[in-house]
Amino acid sequence: MGKVRLQDLAKKLGVRVKDVQEVLKEWGIEKSNFAYLEEEEIQIVLDHFGKETTQEIKEEKKEEKVESVQEKEPIKEEKPPQKVKEGERRKETFKREERPLPKKEEKPVHKPKPVPQAVAQPAPKPPSPPPTQKVEVREEKKAQKEEEQILKKLEKQIEKKQKKEEQEEEIKIVQIPEIVTVRELAELLRVPPNVVMAELLKRGVLATINQTVPSEVALQVAEALGFLAEIKKEEEETLEEEIPDHWEKLPRPPIVVVMGHVDHGKTTLLDTIRKTNVAEREKGGITQHIGASVVQLPDGRKITFLDTPGHEAFTSLRARGAQITDIAVLVVAADDGVMPQTVEAINHARAFNVPIIVAVNKIDKPGADPQRVRRELSELGLIPEEWGGDTIFVDVSAKTGQNVETLLEYILLLAEILELKARVEGPAKGTVIESKLDKQRGPVATLIVQEGTLKVGDPVVAGTTYGKIRAMFDDKGRKLNSAGPSTPVEVLGFEELPMAGDTFIVVEDEKKARQIAEIRKQKKEQQEKLSRGLMLEDVFKKIEEGELNELRLILKTDTIGSLEALKKALTELSTPEVSVRILHGAVGGITENDVMLAKASQAIIIGFNTRPDLKAKEAAEREKVDIKLYSIIYEAIEDVKNALRGLLKPVQKEVVLGSAEVRATFKIKGVGTVAGCYVLDGKIVRNANARLIRDGVVIYTGKIESLKRFKEDVQEVARGFECGVKLKDYNDVKVGDIIECYEVKLEKPSL
């Protein structure tokens, strides 16, 4: 059935328009006289006014359709039979129209029912009661079915709404990365970027569309826009955990760094060991770049050597070289003795807890005095084994090759004592030693593999850059397909130059490597804005966060006398719990080398009657290193003493505030047991720590949940007054118990 106007339907049913409108209103449908009714609405009206009329309407509609079709068709038949048909149809329609006539009189008085219709119709036999009952039952069943269908439709609509609401709730749960830009945050929250920028401005953050937003602020913005947000941890943080530790660890060659003063023969010694001639190729005979090489002994054992520059301009490179090494070989010229760079080399090795082997070089020279070198180094704490110490001394000659094999044997002996092991299987991990930009080959990096096996084709992340190993060469320029632990290699394939000292790691694929590199790059940008070195004022905070129990200092004074006095005074401040460690002490101004050493070892520089030069100032500002300058020795000692007080763990001290006796107990519904108390001593404080004592035994330890006096909440009740006390999560209070109120204070210990 198609759409029918309300007025037309009322006419066909022989009822008033108002009656039809009232029926529709009962179902919550409001329609005007000329409004079209849907099939469901027509069915409601027909069910109400009787089913026979619906059949009549259907028949009439069919006839109308037939007539319209016949009118459209071309008239080919003769007219007389057509007229007969039309006459017959008129008679039939006339008979059908006669049926609803009595309804028009009966409708306003009685409700339409099939019984009066049957009576009104002209029939030869009177209708028997059973058929009318059947008709009524059928109509009731049909009405029930229609109601059920309508209810089902309503339920479906409600379910759709609930599903939409659930989807909206699901969508509103968002995971925000630790590093996110304004644009990315807007895309996550599905709002325009200007809405996010407006929310940021409300929080005092002025950011452009491509600037990063701190994770805490991003969380606040998401919550303000109606999202349930959480910070998503980045993948690069879980890289260490992703590498399984089930592989067996095997012995590996030691990584040895050669350190010492300028022109004391480090590179010549390495030339003799490697049987090469590097020193002549270096500018002025001074090593300008970090080099790495592998030396294989006749018995097949290997040693990896790092040749760090000895000139003081390369202190930062030496610091990086010391980070990856197992053993440090300190080269000292027998004719020159201990020099400033020798002392710095010792301090660097000690800062990273690297064992030292001393190679006393140039013993073939006429003015050589190896015993003088031993005396000078023993004053710096390197006592030879022959004098009862634990430092190995070997007298060598780099030119003649005297005792060089003995030096190698001692290196391997110390390596065996250290039990150096690493896993050979699995993804590689190591450190970048140096990098350079080659005009033909692009970025070239020298890496030392520390764990696993590095292969050609491996995707690698190093610091803030990534790449895929396209080619790999050993220290002699030969192509390699794989490199195991303690092997230095030169690799091609990085997108950008990695920084010397960066850790590299092999990941699953290049896509993951790129993502991790981007995350690290963004983090580095943020850290550069916020990063600070270790400040003397922040020592206590650092201790609380990282359980630091050592204060490292670099001392620079105007005279040796003041240096010795400061060293003695500061080292005496050390206790078993906290210690002062003086990494380096010298006479003279504060230089860039001192700043780089402080940065590498997280130390504080103390200058007494000295000043940093321009380069040192710039380096300190750039690296965020704390330089403290003093002109009075006691001020320096007092400041360090205060910092050490912060380093000591605070002592917890319990202070009893007061005690009260329980004289009555009251059980209150929904609250629990309230103790009626009399304050014996001190005062009882609300929300303070409390313990319940019965016959001298502590039964309960917790807090005072509520404190009342004459039905009013009070903060505290003094001695001699009565009060009501409710203990938190405890109701077994008895008359005669003692409630003791106390607080725990943290006190700074004194040295």
Side-chain angles (χ1 to χ4, degrees):
M1 189 186 291
K3 289 185 178 180
V4 180
R5 280 187 180 175
L6 190 145
Q7 197 173 15
D8 296 340
L9 184 65
K11 276 183 182 180
K12 284 174 184 176
L13 292 172
V15 294
R16 292 187 303 170
V17 174
K18 283 184 181 179
D19 293 339
V20 177
Q21 285 176 335
E22 283 173 6
V23 170
L24 292 171
K25 274 183 184 178
E26 286 176 7
W27 289 85
I29 303 164
E30 289 189 3
K31 296 280 183 179
S32 64
N33 294 3
F34 300 101
Y36 282 98
L37 300 179
E38 298 290 336
E39 285 185 9
E40 291 175 4
E41 294 165 350
I42 293 166
Q43 195 64 43
I44 290 164
V45 175
L46 294 177
D47 290 341
H48 189 274
F49 289 108
K51 202 66 187 174
E52 287 183 12
T53 53
T54 62
Q55 291 171 358
E56 288 170 10
I57 290 162
K58 284 179 184 177
E59 285 173 8
E60 283 176 5
K61 286 216 165 190
K62 282 178 185 177
E63 286 168 7
E64 284 171 8
K65 283 180 183 178
V66 171
E67 284 174 5
S68 62
V69 170
Q70 285 175 354
E71 283 172 8
K72 288 177 184 178
E73 284 177 358
I75 301 161
K76 290 182 181 179
E77 296 177 2
E78 292 178 4
K79 288 180 182 179
Q82 227 177 11
K83 283 178 183 177
V84 172
K85 284 182 181 179
E86 283 175 4
E88 285 172 4
R89 280 173 192 162
R90 280 174 188 171
K91 284 176 185 178
E92 284 172 8
T93 52
F94 180 76
K95 284 177 184 178
R96 283 167 190 160
E97 282 172 4
E98 281 178 355
R99 288 176 188 174
L101 283 174
K103 281 186 187 178
K104 288 182 182 178
E105 295 172 3
E106 290 173 10
K107 279 289 168 185
V109 182
H110 299 289
K111 287 185 180 179
K113 286 183 182 178
V115 177
Q117 280 181 2
V119 173
Q121 284 176 2
K125 290 179 182 181
S128 58
T132 55
Q133 288 175 2
K134 285 179 182 178
V135 171
E136 284 178 2
V137 170
R138 284 175 189 171
E139 285 180 358
E140 282 175 9
K141 283 181 179 178
K142 285 179 181 178
Q144 284 176 359
K145 282 182 181 178
E146 285 164 6
E147 284 176 8
E148 285 173 2
Q149 286 175 355
I150 292 161
L151 286 167
K152 281 179 182 178
K153 284 181 182 179
L154 289 168
E155 284 173 0
K156 283 179 181 178
Q157 287 176 354
I158 291 162
E159 283 176 4
K160 281 180 182 178
K161 283 182 182 179
Q162 286 176 349
K163 282 179 181 178
K164 281 182 182 178
E165 287 172 0
E166 285 173 4
Q167 284 175 354
E168 285 174 3
E169 285 175 2
E170 283 174 10
I171 290 161
K172 288 203 169 187
I173 297 167
V174 170
Q175 282 190 330
I176 298 170
E178 281 188 330
I179 295 164
V180 64
T181 61
V182 173
R183 189 196 296 276
E184 289 167 350
L185 184 61
E187 286 172 2
L188 279 171
L189 304 178
R190 288 185 290 179
V191 294
N194 57 354
V195 174
V196 175
M197 289 160 84
E199 288 292 333
L200 290 170
L201 277 171
K202 286 177 188 176
R203 287 157 182 78
V205 178
L206 184 65
T208 60
I209 198 164
N210 293 319
Q211 278 185 333
T212 54
V213 181
S215 55
E216 292 175 2
V217 179
L219 210 64
Q220 291 173 11
V221 170
E223 285 171 1
L225 294 170
F227 284 81
L228 217 130
E230 60 179 2
I231 295 166
K232 185 183 177 183
K233 289 186 178 179
E234 306 301 343
E235 288 182 12
E236 70 105 0
E237 290 181 2
T238 57
L239 272 176
E240 299 283 336
E241 297 171 10
E242 287 178 9
I243 298 169
D245 201 24
H246 61 267
W247 286 297
E248 188 184 354
K249 291 191 175 183
L250 302 171
R252 63 171 177 83
I255 300 170
V256 180
V257 64
V258 181
M259 307 173 90
H261 192 70
V262 179
D263 202 31
H264 273 206
K266 299 184 300 299
T267 309
T268 312
L269 180 62
L270 277 172
D271 285 342
T272 307
I273 294 166
R274 294 181 299 205
K275 295 172 185 176
T276 58
N277 192 8
V278 177
E280 288 179 10
R281 288 185 270 132
E282 299 284 356
K283 292 181 181 177
I286 299 170
T287 308
Q288 299 291 326
H289 298 285
I290 297 176
S293 57
V294 177
V295 174
Q296 189 167 356
L297 299 183
D299 58 359
R301 291 182 295 175
K302 293 179 180 179
I303 302 170
T304 302
F305 282 97
L306 294 180
D307 181 18
T308 60
H311 196 266
E312 57 183 36
F314 300 97
T315 310
S316 59
L317 290 178
R318 191 188 300 128
R320 289 195 188 104
Q323 286 174 8
I324 57 169
T325 53
D326 305 310
I327 300 164
V329 173
L330 182 67
V331 179
V332 186
D335 61 337
D336 208 3
V338 175
M339 300 299 282
Q341 255 68 60
T342 312
V343 177
E344 282 187 14
I346 293 165
N347 292 332
H348 276 296
R350 280 179 174 167
F352 297 105
N353 297 316
V354 178
I356 298 168
I357 293 175
V358 179
V360 183
N361 196 17
K362 301 184 182 180
I363 57 166
D364 57 321
K365 276 198 170 184
D369 188 0
Q371 293 303 316
R372 173 195 164 195
V373 173
R374 283 170 170 76
R375 282 196 302 274
E376 288 175 352
L377 288 175
S378 63
E379 289 172 7
L380 296 170
L382 295 177
I383 300 163
E385 283 184 336
E386 56 262 33
W387 292 7
D390 56 357
T391 308
I392 299 166
F393 278 73
V394 183
D395 296 337
V396 297
S397 173
K399 271 198 172 182
T400 61
Q402 186 183 343
N403 293 337
V404 171
E405 288 182 5
T406 311
L407 176 66
L408 296 176
E409 285 296 330
Y410 273 118
I411 290 167
L412 291 167
L413 179 66
L414 187 56
E416 282 178 17
I417 293 164
L418 293 171
E419 292 184 354
L420 304 171
K421 288 184 179 181
R423 59 176 176 82
V424 179
E425 295 177 12
K429 184 182 176 184
T431 308
V432 179
I433 302 171
E434 72 166 311
S435 60
K436 60 184 178 183
L437 195 63
D438 194 286
K439 287 180 182 179
Q440 294 176 342
R441 300 188 295 172
V444 180
T446 305
L447 315 176
I448 274 207
V449 182
Q450 289 172 295
E451 284 186 353
T453 303
L454 185 66
K455 299 171 187 174
V456 174
D458 281 348
V460 177
V461 182
T464 57
T465 186
Y466 71 97
K468 192 174 183 180
I469 307 296
R470 290 193 285 109
M472 196 158 51
F473 306 92
D474 66 2
D475 57 307
K476 294 170 182 69
R478 294 174 298 196
K479 267 196 174 185
L480 296 174
N481 290 323
S482 62
S486 300
T487 308
V489 286
E490 199 174 55
V491 298
L492 309 178
F494 277 104
E495 292 292 318
E496 297 171 9
L497 281 176
M499 293 290 291
D502 283 345
T503 301
F504 78 84
I505 191 160
V506 173
V507 292
E508 292 171 10
D509 50 33
E510 205 169 350
K511 185 185 175 183
K512 191 174 181 182
R514 183 169 58 251
Q515 287 174 351
I516 295 163
E518 287 298 321
I519 291 162
R520 287 182 179 179
K521 198 176 281 184
Q522 289 176 0
K523 276 190 178 181
K524 190 182 177 184
E525 285 173 6
Q526 284 189 340
Q527 284 171 359
E528 280 175 358
K529 292 175 185 175
L530 304 170
S531 66
R532 290 174 63 200
L534 183 64
M535 301 290 173
L536 197 62
E537 293 83 2
D538 298 338
V539 166
F540 181 57
K541 285 182 185 176
K542 290 277 182 185
I543 299 316
E544 285 185 333
E545 290 170 7
E547 295 294 326
L548 183 70
N549 57 3
E550 184 179 68
L551 182 62
R552 298 175 180 180
L553 301 174
I554 294 168
L555 303 181
K556 293 305 281 285
T557 62
D558 54 345
T559 61
I560 290 175
S562 54
L563 176 65
E564 293 301 323
L566 255 178
K567 270 187 179 179
K568 189 181 178 185
L570 293 173
T571 48
E572 282 176 356
L573 294 175
S574 299
T575 64
E577 291 84 13
V578 63
S579 63
V580 176
R581 186 177 174 190
I582 295 163
L583 291 178
H584 178 56
V587 175
I590 298 163
T591 62
E592 193 179 359
N593 299 338
D594 301 322
V595 175
M596 294 308 295
L597 177 58
K599 175 69 179 175
S601 55
Q602 283 285 302
I604 294 162
I605 299 170
I606 291 178
F608 181 71
N609 287 334
T610 56
R611 292 287 177 272
D613 57 24
L614 189 63
K615 283 187 177 180
K617 275 184 182 177
E618 288 173 359
E621 286 174 9
R622 186 176 64 251
E623 302 291 346
K624 307 285 191 257
V625 172
D626 191 20
I627 299 175
K628 292 284 180 185
L629 304 173
Y630 300 97
S631 56
I632 301 167
I633 196 166
Y634 299 109
E635 287 180 1
I637 295 163
E638 193 62 33
D639 279 2
V640 174
K641 195 173 184 179
N642 292 335
L644 289 174
R645 280 201 190 117
L647 288 169
L648 289 168
K649 286 184 178 178
V651 177
Q652 289 188 349
K653 192 176 181 182
E654 192 179 288
V655 179
V656 178
L657 299 173
S659 59
E661 185 186 354
V662 179
R663 294 192 173 179
T665 57
F666 309 95
K667 288 184 180 179
I668 301 167
K669 280 186 180 179
V671 178
T673 305
V674 175
C677 304
Y678 178 80
V679 182
L680 301 171
D681 187 28
K683 60 183 178 180
I684 303 296
V685 181
R686 189 173 64 181
N687 295 328
N689 295 320
R691 57 170 70 93
L692 186 71
I693 301 165
R694 187 178 296 161
D695 300 327
V697 179
V698 177
I699 292 170
Y700 164 82
T701 303
K703 283 195 170 187
I704 293 172
E705 191 173 18
S706 65
L707 184 67
K708 291 195 176 188
R709 180 166 165 75
F710 298 117
K711 295 184 180 180
E712 288 182 7
D713 287 315
V714 288
Q715 191 63 37
E716 58 180 47
V717 178
R719 179 185 175 185
F721 291 95
E722 292 179 342
C723 59
V725 177
K726 171 70 180 74
L727 297 174
K728 191 177 181 181
D729 301 330
Y730 191 77
N731 294 316
D732 187 22
V733 184
K734 293 181 180 179
V735 177
D737 291 348
I738 303 292
I739 295 172
E740 194 175 72
C741 180
Y742 67 95
E743 66 178 359
V744 177
K745 285 186 176 180
L746 298 175
E747 292 186 354
K748 284 186 179 181
S750 57
L751 291 168

